Structure formats: C-alpha cells, structure tokens
Amino acid sequence: MGILNVLIVVCLIYVAILFGVAFMAERAAAQGRGGWLRSPFVYTLSLSIYCTAWTFYGAVGYAARSGLEYLTIYLGPTLVMIGWWWVLRKLVRIGRSQRITSVADLVSSRYGKSNTLAVVATLVAVIGTTPYIALQLQSVTLSFSSFAGAEAIEQPFGDRNSMALWVAVGLAFFTILFGTRNLDANERHHGVVMAIALEAVVKLVALMAVGVFVVWGLAGGVEEILAKIDASAIGSFSPHSGRWAALTFLSAAAFLTLPRMFQVMVVENEDERHLRTASWAFPTYLMMMSLFVVPIAAVGLELMPAGANPDLFVLTLPLSQGQEGLAMFSFLGGFSSATSMVIVATIALSTMVSNHVVMPIWLWSKGGGGAMISGDVRGVVLLARRISMAVVLALGYLYYRFSGGGAALAVIGLISFAGLAQVLPAMIGGIFWRGATRAGALSGLAVGFLVWLFCLLLPSFGDGNILSAATFRDGLWGIGWLRPHALFGIAGLDPLVHAVMWSMSLNTILFVVVSLMTFPSPLERLQGAQFVNVFQHSMATQGWSGGVAQAEDLMVMAQRILGPVEAQEFFLDEVRRQGLAGYLPEPTSEFLQRLERELSGSVGSATAHAMVAQIMGRATVSVDDLLKVADETAQMMEYQNQLEAKSDELTRTARQLRAVNEKLTQLSVQKDAFLSQISHELRTPMTSIRAFSEILRDTDELGEEALRKYAGIIHNEAIRLTRLLDDLLDLSVLENGQVSLNLREGLLSDVIDQAVAATGAGGGTLRIRRTQSGEAVLLNTDLDRLAQVFINLIANAQKYCDAARPELTITAKERDGLLVVDFVDNGTGIPREAQSLIFEKFARVSDHKAGGAGLGLAICREIMARLGGGITYLPGQGGAAFRVTLRPSLRAAD
Amino acid sequence: MRDAARMLPLLGAVLWMLPLLFGMDGENPKTSEAMLYVFGVWVVMAIAALGLSLRLETEPGPGDEASLEDEEAA
C-alpha cells in the first residue's frame, strides 16, 4: 500500500513537471522566444515517440522470446529515416504546403479532398491504434503491479482491470489537458512536442541506465555479457527469414503511417531542414534504445525465476537486485514511453475524428448555412476532440479487457502495425503516382483493412471469442479457403506474415488495378499533380471562382473557426495586401485559397473545402489550372500541337499565296488577251473605214449610188466603233464601282415596255409574249440601267434566236422574296460548254453571226450586281433563257 | 550526393537482410556475432547519413525560416 502511494505520487509529480515544461514552452513560443524550441534536436527527440512502452518493456520480452528479431522493428524506421530524401522530404513538403493535419487528411486531400476516404482512413487509424493503446495500458498496469506487488494493487482497485481503467481515465484527463488547450491555427503543439522531447530523454537514459547496470553491474563487462548472451536460451541466431523481412517492411511502413508518427514528423515539423539532422540522429537514438535490450534479456533469463514475465525484466531485474532507485527510474522511463505515446496518438486520432467525422456531420446537420450559423465552431471542434480522445482511450481499454490482457506486448504492437500499414499504398501511390485515383485508394484501403481485421485483429481476441473455433478450423461460413490463418488454402505461414502478405498485396493490387480502370476528377488531378510534383510547384492552384461579394460571410465563418482576433487579423492583412481600405478584402481566388488552407489547419482540408464551398458555391478547376500542372509529357504534346498548328497555318498560307499567284498570272494573261481582243475589235472597223475613205479619196469616177454606199459603210463602222468604245467605257465604270445609280420608283411593266419599244421588237419578226399579271410590281431602283439589261436581252434574242418563227417569253414572278424575270426564247439556246462563258468579256458563242463586241452580257452582269440582283443563264428551258433576279426593296401590288 | 542519399537506404536494406544468409551452412551463428554485425552496420549507416546530411546542399522549402516568416507575417 505504501509503495503504491509513492508510485502514484511520483507519477503525479512527473506529470506535473511535464505539464510545466509544456506550459513554459508554449508561453515561450507565444512570446516569440521559442528559438530553442525549433532546434532540430527537439524534432529528432520528438520522433522518439516511435519508441513506446512496447520498446521499453516489450523489446526485452521480445528478445527473450525470439532473439534478435526485435531489431527489425527498429531497422525499418532507420531505413526510412536514412532514406529521407525519397519519401519523408516529400511528405513533409506536402504536409506543409497543403496544411495537412493527419494521415487521413493527407489521403483525403490527395484524392480530391474526398471525405469518404478521410472517414475510411480515420476508421482504419482508430481501429488500428486501439490495440496499441491497450498495449500501453497493459504495460503501465503491469509495471504498477510488479512494482507494488499484485496484492497491493488489488486492495484499493479491486482487480487489475479496474487498475487499467484508472490508468486510462488518468491518461484521458492528462491528454485532454495537454492536447486541447487551444486550437492551433496550424495544429502545432509546441508544448506537447517539448514534453515529448523531455520524455524521450527520460526513457533513453532510464533504459541505458538499466543496461549499464546489467552489463557492468551484474555481468561484469562487455566480454562477459557477450559470453552470457551466447550461453543463454537465445544464444543461437536463427532468424525466421519471412518474419525478418516482413517485420522490417512492416515497421518501415508503420513508421510512415502511424497517426502519431505522422503527427510529430509532418504536422509538427517546423523546418524541412530538421529532417537532415534527424536522418542520422534518429537512427542513432534507435540504436541506443536497442543496444542493451539483448543483454538485459539474457541476464534476465539467467537470473529471474522461470515463470517471470520477460516483458518486465527492465523493471524486475533491478528490483530483484535491490536497486529500488534504479527500478523507480526505470518505472518512470516506462511510464514516459506510455504516456507520450498515448498523448500524441490520441491527439492525432482526435484531430482525425473531429475533422473528418464530427465536423462534416455537424455541418451537415446544420444544413446549407452551417458555416454561417452563429456560435463558435471552435467550441464544437474542441468538444469533439475531447470526446474523441476519451472515446479512443475507452476503445483501448475495451480491447485490453477483451483480449484478456495476457498477450505479449510485441504481439499486440505488431497487430496494430499491420492494420495501420494499410494506408501505405494509398499514401505512397498518392505522392509518387499521378494516375492513382480515389476509387483505387478507397478499394485498396478497404480490402486491406478487411483482410487485416479477419486475419489478425479478430483472431487476436482468441479462439471462440469473436471468431468461433469452427471458423478457424473450417473457414468463414464453412468455406475452406476463408480460414483466418490460411487464406486461399495457403497454410503453414506464420499468422503475422500471412496477414501482412495477403492484406498488403491485395491492397496494393486493388489500388493499382482500380486506379488504372477509373478516371480521376479534375480536383483529384489537380491535387495529384500538386502532391507528386510538390518540388516543382509548391503553390496551391485550386481555383475558387470568387467575384460575388461574399467577403462578409467568409469573415463570419472564419471568426467561428479561427477565433475573432485571428480571423480579423487575417482579413486585415489581406486587405493591406490587396491595397484596399476597410476591413473586407475582395474574395479573389488567391485569397480564398489562403483562407481555405488556413481553415484546413483547424478542421482539415475536406471540411475546410466544404465550408468555403457552402459560401462560395462550387469550386471550379479552370483549364488554366490544369494546364499549369500538366506534366512534362502533356506540355510536350501541347508544344507539339502548337508546332503542328503553326505548320498547318504555314501550309495554308503557302497554298493561299500560290492561289493568289495563279490568279495574278491568270489576270495578266486575261489582260493580255483583253488587249489583243480589243485591238482586234477596234482594228476591224478602222480597217474598213480606212479602206473606204481611201476609195473615196483616190477614185475620181464614183457614181452617186456608190458614193452614198461607201459613205454609209464608213458611217456604220464609225457608229459600231463608237458603240464599242461606249460599251468599254460603260463596263470599266461599272467594274470599278464608280457608277452612280439613279434610284427611282417605277413599275416593272413600264420598264419592260420601254425595253421592248427601244429594240423595236414589237413590230419585227420576234414575237414577244408577256404575262402582264406578274409585272405589276413597284420597283425602287435605277430604272434606266434595268431597262438597259432588258434591252440587251431582247436584242440578243432578236439577233441569235434561230427559230423559224422566233418568239420571246417574258415572265415575271416572285420567288423566295425575290423578283424573278425570265427571258426565254424558242431558239436552240446556248451550248452547254459555252454557258459558263457567256457573261465574260468578248465572249461570243459563235462567230458566224456578227453582232456586238461580246460585251453586252458582261455589262448586264455588272449592272445587276450593282443593283443588288443578278443575271444567270437558265438551262433546260427549250431555248436560250436568262433569269434576272431583283431584290424588290419596295413593292406594292396595284 | 543526392544519388548517394537515395542509395543509402537500399544499401542498408541489403546489408540488414544479409543475416538471413548467416545460417546457410547449417550452423547457426552466435547471437553476439549477429548482434555485433547488425549494430556495426547501424553505426556505419548513421555516420554515412551524418556525412550526407552535412554535404547535401541546403535548399529551403517554401515554408522554412525566411519564407516562413513572410508567410506568417502575412
């Protein structure tokens, strides 16, 4: 009874000292005097949270049972640590740039801020850590009872179980006091880290003190202890090769995925360069922790009675030798190991639970406006954390109760390791492989976790407790290949190796296969690129499409989470940064990103994302964002595409240039042809005028009749020449667009009447048939020019219609909002091959019927183009048929 | 140097898997010998890591010291 009280008092004093250290460290940090808090050695010592009561008590027990195999538990982390350049550096950088708060947060944030994934990862972490916490309870309870004697415990507490309960309650109280005093903006707990560093020193010194006592005090020196080791039951080194490799891998994996390790290694990291120091200092620490384990085990096996629990040699060996002081120190070392683990693990787990389970539920229960509802969210977060801490410890206690509290510490610890390591594929895949998707991570994690549950955790409760003995023998539901220790019929493996192998391989295979088969969402791709290429671009590029003035709502929300003072400072700072006056900054995309990151430090990325989304609406991932993070291949392809586009453009330009060149050449040819044509056209009448004028000049004896005839010819040719020149002039004016239209209103019938009269067709051989009804259309156009066109068409019919009784039908009608006037004669028409040429200059269908210079239809076409209409040849009407179309700008039926 | 930093853990893994081959001739070695070997490798690893950490060029991350102050002042 007396010794128990002393123990309790010592523990309380020790805890008080720890608390004092934590308090001072926090105050120093708050006052900005915490330079020494940021020493890389504090960081290294805080990593020693890896060495729990399992190391302190369990390693010796493990060594006493299985020889050197316990070393694998420390070799794995050593490998990870000296390989910091591979993984840890990246993890820490990601953790800092994305404000990651936990393992679950990391995984969730990587896979598109998925809360489902966060919940699953949280579940895995909580269930996986439970045996571990039970281990600490068991070791503290054991150490109490072995120190004070079992009877002394049972008097005040009833039995060992209620002793463990009291330990759990005490630890819960202590953790809540430590871990939730404030809600740090970035989840750093200077005080806790400092306390852990102190505890790290205590447990190392305690273990080494016992070791030194054993080696030099009991064995008598190094030579002697080595001889004793070889002479003991563990003197022969015969490692189980499967377990040796599997355990090294498992401990390396657990080192990365243990929630408490992630907490101290990534979340509490002050400076990436601390890793540099830790890369050699932490392996040294681990080496020193494991150095005396085998000597203690060997000497314990030799000196202690046969039935003694080897897990407690560290404590019972000094006790049995009458070294009360050393035993007390050793007890404190074990107590340190247990408390520091429980504190950090529960802090880490409660962060996960409150961020990923409680907060989303709370937000959801508050409906759409949850983020803006009055009431301090910080209170809710803190309460959620406190409750989750208590729950986590309660789970640990329950596991302790139901697993019987009898298993060796190392066995419990390994079960825990194997469960937590299930996050590894999603984590490593997430930071190295951009193709990893949410569905892949989710399915791998879930399956690995279930296999672990079935093969390792449930069997750990013992035959017939949760899984029946029949299940062990015949498999689940009697299916032979579902036996917990012989999945798929592969029996004979060590249960741990068996479970690790199946859970990890199925986990990894599913993760990879499902990732390959599914397609990541834009946000996932963005986050994936940022995680994988964290060293290339450490900026957050997730774009909120802000714009609507919701800054006030944001302010309200930020105050609830960050606290009024911090939030106002944050906003004011942003106002200054944006160069504005007042209190509310513009909700720019950058500001929203910063705010979301700030919030995620308090409530996790998924929740922060959801809260900002409640106010800002959907987050958008712009194409620019995606382009920014596109990997090299994509950039190369992009570049290549641009090159191709440029090359295409060049080809197109070259083609255009060639076409233009061809046209120019054609034009030049046309011009030459035109010139030769025109000189020919001018030359013919000139020749005849010259010839006849020469006759008139040189011939003396010309009769009256001949004189008149020759003068008439000269006159006619001169008229023809004039007409030709007129036509040419007309055409050039029309082509150059210099013509000025004389717009007038008039009836179509009048224009046709005028044309018919001008050609004198009415009384001649050509019969003209008209449909009067369609001609009663009011036009607003250049009536003279239109008449010119009609005259030309009628004259052509007069000249070229080769029917016996030539007839021209003029019909006017309206079609599709256009006025259409058709001129159809009953001759043979124009041969098909000539149809496309008739509107060209100097184009004459045949030479035998001398007519004009071949400019008439060309002029008609130009006129109609100027009038906003057109003239086309209408094939298949029985004779030559021309269609004149007009845009009737003003129409009125009579 | 970076490559050396990358290779070191692989070397360590190989060296620490070697004890599995110790007993190949049918005679298990003494625990003390294996222990000395494992701890010997451990010391070498720690010293190599120390050497590397001193020689690897320092490149501060976005949130370290100097830039951290900006960020937190902001």
Side-chain angles (χ1 to χ4, degrees):
Chain A
M1 188 68 198
I3 186 86
L4 186 65
N5 284 340
V6 172
L7 277 183
I8 292 174
V9 169
V10 166
C11 285
L12 288 180
I13 292 175
Y14 178 69
V15 168
I17 292 174
L18 278 187
F19 200 76
V21 167
F23 183 73
M24 271 159 50
E26 239 156 50
R27 212 174 54 176
Q31 292 172 353
R33 291 185 291 107
W36 50 277
L37 286 174
R38 300 187 177 170
S39 151
F41 291 99
V42 170
Y43 178 69
T44 307
L45 285 175
S46 73
L47 292 185
S48 75
I49 192 79
Y50 181 75
C51 303
T52 64
W54 172 11
T55 304
F56 200 85
Y57 296 118
V60 173
Y62 199 162
R65 293 182 184 102
S66 323
L68 287 183
E69 199 178 275
Y70 80 96
L71 283 173
T72 52
I73 304 302
Y74 308 97
L75 295 184
T78 302
L79 288 175
V80 171
M81 212 60 228
I82 57 177
W84 64 288
W85 197 266
W86 283 106
V87 178
L88 286 183
R89 196 172 63 109
K90 202 164 192 180
L91 267 184
V92 169
R93 174 69 67 90
I94 291 169
R96 297 168 62 90
S97 62
Q98 302 281 328
R99 299 249 172 162
I100 300 296
T101 57
S102 65
V103 180
D105 195 23
L106 175 90
V107 176
S108 134
S109 178
R110 160 63 181 83
Y111 299 103
K113 307 192 178 176
S114 146
N115 206 49
T116 319
L117 201 49
V119 169
V120 173
T122 303
L123 196 70
V124 171
V126 170
I127 296 181
T129 309
T130 299
Y132 217 137
I133 288 176
L135 186 159
Q136 313 301 321
L137 294 179
Q138 181 175 337
S139 70
V140 172
T141 313
L142 280 176
S143 67
F144 261 109
S145 62
S146 66
F147 211 110
E151 305 80 31
I153 299 282
E154 277 165 17
Q155 254 182 343
F157 291 113
D159 61 358
R160 271 222 326 239
N161 286 339
S162 29
M163 164 81 195
L165 180 63
W166 280 108
V167 173
V169 170
L171 282 175
F173 177 73
F174 187 44
T175 310
I176 288 169
L177 217 55
F178 249 112
T180 58
R181 291 202 316 121
N182 57 349
L183 188 65
D184 255 344
N186 47 13
E187 277 311 311
R188 293 207 179 115
H189 304 78
H190 293 290
V192 174
V193 169
M194 204 57 221
I196 293 165
L198 181 70
E199 295 200 289
V201 175
V202 170
K203 64 193 177 196
L204 179 64
V205 173
L207 193 60
M208 289 189 79
V210 176
V212 167
F213 166 72
V214 166
V215 172
W216 283 278
L218 293 178
V222 177
E223 295 281 321
E224 288 78 1
I225 192 70
L226 289 180
K228 268 184 196 295
I229 290 170
D230 290 340
S232 69
I234 51 171
S236 167
F237 177 67
S238 54
H240 181 298
S241 55
R243 276 180 71 92
W244 183 277
L247 289 179
T248 307
F249 166 75
L250 193 58
S251 60
F255 187 66
L256 291 169
T257 54
L258 281 172
R260 67 173 193 280
M261 284 320 297
F262 193 87
Q263 177 80 26
V264 290
M265 200 154 54
V266 179
V267 182
E268 307 275 0
N269 179 285
E270 294 278 354
D271 189 325
E272 265 176 57
R273 281 167 296 187
H274 288 174
L275 271 179
R276 204 175 281 271
T277 308
S279 74
W280 60 267
F282 187 63
T284 311
Y285 184 94
L286 286 179
M287 187 186 69
M288 296 201 292
M289 278 303 268
S290 14
L291 192 56
F292 291 106
V293 168
V294 174
I296 295 172
V299 173
L301 283 174
E302 184 192 316
L303 295 182
M304 299 302 287
N309 185 352
D311 278 335
L312 289 168
F313 280 173
V314 181
L315 197 59
T316 49
L317 207 51
L319 265 182
S320 70
Q321 301 301 314
Q323 298 284 336
E324 295 280 336
L326 184 61
M328 183 62 82
F329 190 31
S330 165
F331 171 80
L332 265 187
F335 185 71
S336 283
S337 317
T339 46
S340 55
M341 181 271 164
V342 170
I343 291 169
V344 181
T346 33
I347 287 177
L349 288 178
S350 71
T351 306
M352 285 193 214
V353 171
S354 77
N355 283 358
H356 303 306
V357 181
V358 179
M359 286 309 288
I361 292 176
W362 184 80
L363 272 182
W364 174 78
S365 72
K366 294 282 178 183
M372 279 122 56
I373 267 179
S374 61
D376 199 335
V377 175
R378 293 200 302 167
V380 177
V381 174
L382 281 180
L383 185 67
R385 285 193 188 176
R386 285 178 184 147
I387 292 173
S388 18
M389 282 174 177
V391 168
V392 166
L393 275 165
L395 281 175
Y397 172 72
L398 288 177
Y399 183 88
Y400 170 76
R401 278 295 299 272
F402 288 107
S403 66
L409 296 179
V411 176
I412 308 177
L414 287 175
I415 291 173
S416 181
F417 270 23
L420 293 165
Q422 300 306 326
V423 183
L424 190 74
M427 179 195 258
I428 297 297
I431 65 173
F432 286 107
W433 183 34
R434 289 188 51 183
T437 66
R438 193 179 80 99
L442 207 54
S443 45
L445 189 56
V447 167
F449 179 68
L450 288 178
V451 172
W452 168 77
L453 210 62
F454 181 64
C455 293
L456 213 50
L457 184 71
L458 297 184
S460 77
F461 290 100
D463 283 16
N465 274 350
I466 290 185
L467 296 180
S468 65
T471 309
F472 279 95
R473 201 177 54 245
D474 305 325
L476 193 62
W477 304 304
I479 304 170
W481 49 272
L482 280 183
R483 275 175 290 163
H485 288 162
L487 269 193
F488 306 110
I490 298 176
L493 276 174
D494 177 81
L496 181 78
V497 175
H498 170 266
V500 170
M501 184 196 81
W502 280 119
S503 62
M504 288 309 282
S505 53
L506 288 177
N507 183 339
T508 310
I509 289 170
L510 263 173
F511 169 64
V512 172
V513 170
V514 175
S515 287
L516 289 177
M517 289 191 320
T518 50
F519 200 73
S521 69
L523 189 57
E524 255 180 279
R525 300 185 134 215
L526 202 61
Q527 289 294 102
Q530 279 186 37
F531 274 51
V532 175
N533 301 333
V534 67
F535 294 112
Q536 278 79 49
H537 37 74
S538 290
M539 77 291 183
T541 50
Q542 193 271 309
W544 287 104
S545 56
V548 197
Q550 287 142 326
E552 202 172 338
D553 295 341
L554 289 171
M555 176 81 155
V556 171
M557 177 188 71
Q559 283 186 2
R560 308 261 175 264
I561 295 171
L562 303 173
V565 181
E566 291 86 347
Q568 279 158 22
E569 258 172 29
F570 182 77
F571 274 65
L572 261 183
D573 186 72
E574 184 64 27
V575 167
R576 273 196 295 275
R577 182 182 288 226
Q578 292 181 357
L580 302 172
Y583 295 95
L584 293 176
E586 286 293 311
T588 60
S589 165
E590 294 81 38
F591 170 58
L592 290 171
Q593 275 165 26
R594 288 185 59 216
L595 181 65
E596 193 191 321
R597 265 203 306 167
E598 200 69 30
L599 294 178
S600 71
S602 294
V603 292
S605 61
T607 309
H609 189 70
M611 292 182 95
V612 176
Q614 274 191 356
I615 291 176
M616 298 310 296
R618 283 189 64 234
T620 51
V621 178
S622 71
V623 178
D624 276 355
D625 291 339
L626 283 176
L627 273 182
K628 252 186 245 168
V629 297
D631 62 4
E632 290 76 9
T633 326
Q635 274 172 8
M636 293 265 289
M637 277 172 65
E638 178 73 10
Y639 186 61
Q640 198 182 338
N641 284 344
Q642 281 174 2
L643 278 183
E644 266 173 20
K646 279 213 172 75
S647 145
D648 282 353
E649 201 183 316
L650 282 177
T651 317
R652 223 167 21 243
T653 315
R655 209 163 39 227
Q656 282 167 353
L657 280 175
R658 249 197 316 274
V660 169
N661 190 30
E662 225 162 77
K663 200 167 175 184
L664 281 175
T665 316
Q666 267 180 357
L667 277 178
S668 165
V669 170
Q670 238 172 32
K671 194 190 71 186
D672 289 349
F674 178 74
L675 279 178
S676 82
Q677 192 89 33
I678 210 156
S679 31
H680 177 75
E681 291 293 333
L682 289 175
R683 197 189 162 95
T684 319
M686 282 310 253
T687 312
S688 109
I689 289 172
R690 209 177 70 197
F692 284 104
S693 54
E694 270 169 13
I695 293 173
L696 286 181
R697 189 189 64 192
D698 297 340
T699 316
D700 297 332
E701 313 265 321
L702 270 179
E704 185 76 7
E705 195 182 337
L707 203 67
R708 192 175 295 128
K709 183 187 168 194
Y710 291 158
I713 290 173
I714 291 173
H715 182 246
N716 278 344
E717 289 299 318
I719 287 174
R720 195 173 141 199
L721 205 56
T722 315
R723 202 170 61 222
L724 181 64
L725 289 174
D726 279 349
D727 281 355
L728 273 176
L729 202 64
D730 205 14
L731 191 62
S732 97
V733 165
L734 283 166
E735 277 184 341
N736 291 333
Q738 291 163 339
V739 68
S740 54
L741 295 176
N742 179 20
L743 295 184
R744 278 189 296 128
E745 277 204 352
L747 281 171
L748 177 64
S749 51
D750 291 345
V751 181
I752 297 178
D753 286 345
Q754 186 192 342
V756 170
T759 51
T765 50
L766 182 71
R767 228 181 114 220
I768 295 188
R769 293 157 59 130
R770 292 168 60 181
T771 48
Q772 299 291 344
S773 62
E775 293 175 8
V777 178
L778 196 64
L779 294 172
N780 182 20
T781 182
D782 190 329
L783 298 177
D784 294 334
R785 286 289 187 183
L786 188 60
Q788 191 185 345
V789 173
F790 290 167
I791 289 168
N792 207 302
L793 290 176
I794 295 169
N796 274 352
Q798 276 177 322
K799 266 184 263 174
Y800 300 117
C801 186
D802 49 5
R805 299 180 60 191
E807 213 175 78
L808 178 70
T809 314
I810 303 173
T811 42
K813 53 185 174 285
E814 195 205 325
R815 184 174 292 173
D816 299 334
L818 288 175
L819 180 63
V820 179
V821 189
D822 289 342
F823 293 79
V824 185
D825 68 20
N826 58 350
T828 49
I830 295 168
R832 178 175 294 274
E833 63 274 12
Q835 283 172 8
S836 62
L837 287 172
I838 49 176
F839 293 104
E840 297 301 323
K841 282 171 277 194
F842 301 111
R844 273 177 298 198
V845 176
S846 56
D847 284 333
H848 59 272
K849 286 214 172 169
L855 290 173
L857 283 174
I859 292 174
C860 287
R861 189 179 63 174
E862 290 301 326
I863 290 174
M864 288 318 295
R866 298 289 153 226
L867 295 182
I871 177 165
T872 50
Y873 184 76
L874 204 61
Q877 301 299 314
F882 292 89
R883 165 165 292 179
V884 175
T885 47
L886 268 174
R887 205 174 295 279
S889 50
L890 238 180
R891 272 193 320 115
D894 269 359
Chain B
M1 269 302 138
R2 291 174 178 202
D3 290 335
R6 289 193 179 100
M7 286 305 127
L8 193 60
L10 303 183
L11 177 70
V14 171
L15 287 179
W16 273 322
M17 288 303 134
L18 277 184
L20 299 180
L21 305 175
F22 282 181
M24 293 298 268
D25 55 357
E27 189 141 331
N28 285 330
K30 290 175 182 167
T31 296
S32 61
E33 289 167 4
M35 201 176 124
L36 287 178
Y37 170 78
V38 171
F39 279 92
V41 173
W42 215 324
V43 172
V44 172
M45 283 293 141
I47 291 173
L50 170 65
L52 280 176
S53 79
L54 293 178
R55 301 192 102 197
L56 277 170
E57 60 271 41
T58 314
E59 38 164 341
D64 288 344
E65 300 284 275
S67 53
L68 187 73
E69 251 112 66
D70 303 356
E71 205 174 64
E72 271 166 9

